Amino acid sequence: MRVRFAPSPTGSLHIGGVRTALFNWLCARHYGGQFILRIEDTDEKRFVPGAADDISISLRWVGIDWDEGPDVGGPYGPYVQSERFELGIYRPFVEQLLEAGLAYMSFTTEEELAQMRAAAEAAGIKSFRFRGPERDWPLAQQQEMAASGKPFTVRLKTPLEGETRFRDLIRGGDEIVVQNDQLQDIVLIKSSGMPVYHFAHLVDDHLMKITHVMRGEEWVPSTPYHVLLYDYFGWQRPIFAHLPAILRHDGKGKLSKRKDDVATHRFRERGYLPETMLNYLALQGWSYDGVTEIMSRDELIERFTLDRIQPSPARWNPEKLRDMNGIYIRKRTAVEVAELVLPFMQRAGLIGDPASDAERAYLLRLIPLIHERLEELQEAPDLLRFFYRDVTPGETYNPADLIPKKHDAAQTIAMLRAAHEALSRQADWTPPALEVTLRGLCEQLAVKPGPLFGAIRIAVTGRSVAPPLFDTLAGVGRERSLARIKAAIAALEQMA
RNA sequence: GCCCCCAUCGUCUAGUGGCCUAGGACAUCACCCUUUCAAGGUGGAGAUCGCGGGUUCGAAUCCCGCUGGGGGCACCA
C-alpha cells in the first residue's frame, strides 16, 4: 500500500488537512506501506511563501512522519510539483493525450468563457457545460493555431453520452454513477503551461505508484474526470476512499479557514497537546469500537482500519477536544507540564526568558496545584498569576467579595484578624501545619471552614476560585500571605 | 438551477435482520467527596433510530420515494 497526503501551500495547514494526512498515515502504518508527502504548488497565484514549512512542522508536531517527501527525498522525487513541472515530467503525458485525441488545445479565453456563461444564464439555460469547438478539430489545426501565438489551454475531451462509474471504499453503495452529459471539458493545462490539479496529481499518483487515494469528500464530484483520465491513459485506477467532511460546530457548513480558528499551529499556541490532536482527529470520521476513545499513537496504528471510516460527516466539537486535552494533561507528569507551561508563563511576562533556575523550581512547585484543573495550557498564567503578582483590594478584587454569604463586614474583619494573628505566630509554613492551625481556628471561632477559608482565599489570591487554600498559602509564602490578609482587613475597615 | 454524497440522544458515535425495553463519550442535571474550583465516584434526564411506503415470521439494520443536511459545478486545490 502506498498512500500520500498532497496539500497545496496556500496558507497554514488546516486542521482538517491534518485529519486527512492522519488517516493516510495511519493506513500506511497499520497495513504496512509507505506514506508520501507531496507539495502541490501548481497555483502560482495563491502560493504563500513559508506555507510548505508550516505544513511539515504541523504534521511533525502531531507525530506524523513520511517515508518520502520534499525534505527526505525518495525514489520518485522530486516531491514538489513546481519542481516536477520544471523537469518536464508532465509534458509527455499531455502530448500522449493530445495525439490520441483525448484532449485538445482550447483557444477560448477566460473572458470569453465568462461571457458565454453569463449569456447561457440569461437565456435561462439550467446548467452550462463547456465543450470547446476545437474538440473536433484535427490536431494539426490546433497546432497551427497555437503556432500563430494564440494562447491556449489543454482541455480534457469528455464523452458526450454514456456514463462514468467508479467505486468508493466508504461511500456510494456499490458504485457512484455520473451521466457523462453532466461533465464538461475541464482544463488540464493552463495557458501558462502549468498543469492543473486534476492532471498533475493524477500523473504524480501514477508515477509514484499510489495505490489508495484518500482525500476529502469534496473531491467526489471531480472523481469522474480522474477515472476518465486513468482510463484514457490505460492506467490502473487507484482505490478511492473519500473521507467525510468535518462540519462546523454549529453544523452550518464545513470547517473553514476564513470563519474558524483552524490553523493547526493555533491549537499548539492555545496549549493543545499533540497526543490530544492525534487522538481527537482520529475520531473525526473513524471509531474503534464505539466505547474506547482514549488511544495512544501506537494503539491508533494497531487499531485503525479502513472499514471503520464513516461515510457521514463529523462535526467539530471544541468542548470534547478540551475535555480530551485535560485528560492528556493529567496523564503527563508535573515535570512535563511545567516544561510545557513555561513558554506560556514567559509570554505572559510572569517568568523571564530565559528562565532562571529559581523560576523553574518555583513553577514546578506550583504545577501540582493547577495540574488537574488545566484543560488548555494557555490557562496556566491566569490560574497562577497571584503567585507572581501583587494582590490589592480595590484593584485586583472588590473588597466586598471578602464577605462570605450570611456574614457582614464586622464578622469578616473579626475572622480575618483572628486568622492574621494565628498565622503570625505560625513558624511552620507548610500545608499540613497551616491546616492544623486554620482548622483549629474554625473551632475556636465556632465558624465553618467555608466562610473562613473563603475570606482568606480571596484576601490572598484575589479570587473566589483558586487551588486548595493550604497549598496556596504555602505557595504564596508567609510574608506575602500575611501582608495580603492585612491589606484585606484594612480595606474592609475602610468600607465600614 | 444541475449533479453527487450523507441521515441513531443537543453533539460525536456503537449497532451490518432477532442479543436493542438502542450501548459509550462530550455537554447537561442531581447526589457523594469537599475550604472554593477542578478531578474522581454514583445516578438521572436525553433517540418512537428524519418521514412515508414496501420486503420479511421479525428492520435502526435490506429496497423505493420524500424531506432535511452537506458538498461540487474555476486557467483553486
Side-chain angles (χ1 to χ4, degrees):
Chain A
M1 170 186 272
R2 286 176 61 81
V3 292
R4 52 37 171 202
F5 175 55
S8 83
T10 54
S12 35
L13 185 59
H14 186 295
I15 199 68
V18 179
R19 196 281 308 261
T20 302
L22 175 62
F23 278 32
N24 276 281
W25 176 80
L26 245 15
C27 268
R29 296 293 173 262
H30 175 84
Y31 294 103
Q34 291 82 48
F35 173 65
I36 292 121
L37 176 65
R38 184 176 69 222
I39 301 298
E40 309 216 322
D41 57 346
T42 53
D43 186 350
E44 307 101 314
K45 296 187 193 102
R46 291 201 307 158
F47 177 78
V48 174
D53 288 335
D54 181 82
I55 290 167
S56 294
I57 292 167
S58 294
L59 291 177
R60 288 217 168 87
W61 175 60
V62 297
I64 294 176
D65 55 353
W66 44 97
D67 306 300
E68 298 168 29
D71 45 356
V72 301
Y76 303 97
Y79 292 88
V80 177
Q81 285 184 332
S82 57
E83 293 174 24
R84 299 175 68 75
F85 172 68
E86 294 297 330
L87 256 30
I89 287 177
Y90 306 108
R91 223 34 301 155
F93 297 103
V94 185
E95 311 278 280
Q96 189 183 332
L97 249 25
L98 245 19
E99 274 158 31
L102 298 167
Y104 60 92
M105 298 179 199
S106 169
F107 301 93
T108 307
T109 65
E110 280 185 272
E111 295 71 38
E112 288 167 345
L113 201 50
Q115 282 170 13
M116 290 165 77
R117 285 209 176 88
E121 196 176 331
I125 293 170
K126 334 148 231 157
S127 57
F128 177 76
R129 317 262 163 211
F130 181 74
R131 323 256 182 174
E134 308 88 342
R135 74 195 317 268
D136 297 319
W137 292 8
L139 182 56
Q141 190 182 347
Q142 296 170 29
Q143 285 166 332
E144 199 178 308
M145 183 77 119
S148 76
K150 205 158 195 283
F152 66 91
T153 60
V154 175
R155 288 180 182 273
L156 179 68
K157 193 165 165 183
T158 54
L160 300 169
E161 43 193 50
E163 54 191 30
T164 298
R165 27 176 85 220
F166 60 95
R167 290 177 184 285
D168 186 286
L169 219 48
I170 53 194
R171 71 213 317 125
D174 283 345
E175 275 191 318
I176 293 174
V177 182
V178 177
Q179 297 305 312
N180 289 336
D181 60 13
Q182 294 298 327
L183 305 177
Q184 52 182 334
D185 291 351
I186 56 162
V187 168
L188 259 23
I189 305 293
K190 308 179 199 181
S191 53
S192 65
M194 187 70 93
V196 124
Y197 169 85
H198 301 297
F199 189 71
H201 96 275
L202 188 131
V203 168
D204 287 341
D205 281 350
H206 175 253
L207 259 20
M208 294 180 182
K209 301 191 160 52
I210 299 302
T211 59
H212 299 246
V213 170
M214 251 178 279
R215 65 214 323 185
E217 72 171 351
E218 65 271 21
W219 292 106
V220 172
S222 49
T223 304
Y225 297 109
H226 304 158
V227 302
L228 229 32
L229 237 15
Y230 277 107
D231 294 353
Y232 281 1
F233 278 121
W235 296 340
Q236 192 187 16
R237 299 177 183 181
I239 290 168
F240 293 103
H242 288 95
L243 273 21
I246 300 177
L247 269 28
R248 309 186 62 204
H249 188 45
D250 60 9
K252 295 278 165 226
K254 280 200 309 178
L255 219 47
S256 75
K257 249 177 216 180
R258 284 195 52 200
K259 292 177 155 183
D260 308 284
D261 201 5
V262 289
T264 307
H265 63 83
R266 287 286 302 133
F267 291 92
R268 193 175 44 204
E269 287 160 13
R270 283 191 270 157
Y272 282 90
L273 266 28
E275 57 268 39
T276 304
M277 300 312 292
L278 199 74
N279 194 158
Y280 181 77
L281 254 16
L283 262 13
Q284 294 294 292
W286 174 83
S287 68
Y288 176 52
D289 58 7
V291 177
T292 314
E293 291 194 327
I294 300 301
M295 289 174 271
S296 67
R297 198 178 109 123
D298 288 344
E299 286 168 333
L300 250 15
I301 290 173
E302 191 193 318
R303 298 169 182 173
F304 192 88
T305 52
L306 246 8
D307 59 291
R308 293 197 60 89
I309 298 175
Q310 282 281 320
S312 56
R315 200 184 294 204
W316 191 251
N317 188 339
E319 287 86 32
K320 180 110 178 173
L321 214 213
R322 264 182 74 88
D323 177 72
M324 193 177 275
N325 202 45
I327 291 172
Y328 277 110
I329 287 174
R330 274 173 254 131
K331 277 175 177 277
R332 297 287 198 125
T333 63
V335 174
E336 289 171 331
V337 175
E339 204 56 41
L340 252 13
V341 157
L342 182 61
F344 291 88
M345 297 300 284
Q346 291 173 321
R347 227 167 293 150
L350 297 176
I351 292 181
D353 190 3
S356 68
D357 287 348
E359 283 174 317
R360 285 176 176 277
Y362 187 45
L363 178 61
L364 180 56
R365 181 183 164 196
L366 299 177
I367 288 301
L369 308 196
I370 61 163
H371 196 160
E372 67 184 19
R373 276 156 255 263
L374 221 43
E375 287 196 308
E376 291 180 353
L377 298 175
Q378 69 171 357
E379 296 158 355
D382 189 48
L383 292 174
L384 295 173
R385 175 160 272 104
F386 61 85
F387 286 109
Y388 293 86
R389 294 281 182 263
D390 285 343
V391 170
T392 314
E395 283 179 36
T396 319
Y397 65 94
N398 178 357
D401 293 339
L402 287 160
I403 304 166
K405 281 196 179 78
K406 294 179 185 167
H407 287 69
D408 58 29
Q411 292 171 307
T412 310
I413 291 171
M415 283 196 297
L416 288 175
R417 273 186 183 149
H420 187 271
E421 197 188 318
L423 291 171
S424 300
R425 292 194 303 266
Q426 181 89 17
D428 182 0
W429 203 261
T430 60
L434 288 163
E435 176 159 17
V436 170
T437 301
L438 291 174
R439 290 213 186 272
L441 191 62
C442 285
E443 279 186 41
Q444 195 185 314
L445 299 174
V447 293
K448 294 197 167 182
L452 206 222
F453 294 1
I456 299 174
R457 174 176 298 109
I458 292 174
V460 175
T461 70
R463 37 199 308 175
S464 57
V465 173
L469 188 60
F470 316 123
D471 297 296
T472 300
L473 288 171
V476 170
R478 189 169 191 277
E479 301 315 316
R480 288 198 296 171
S481 297
L482 288 171
R484 289 178 188 181
I485 294 171
K486 203 167 188 176
I489 295 169
L492 281 173
E493 285 171 340
Q494 210 162 28
M495 276 176 64

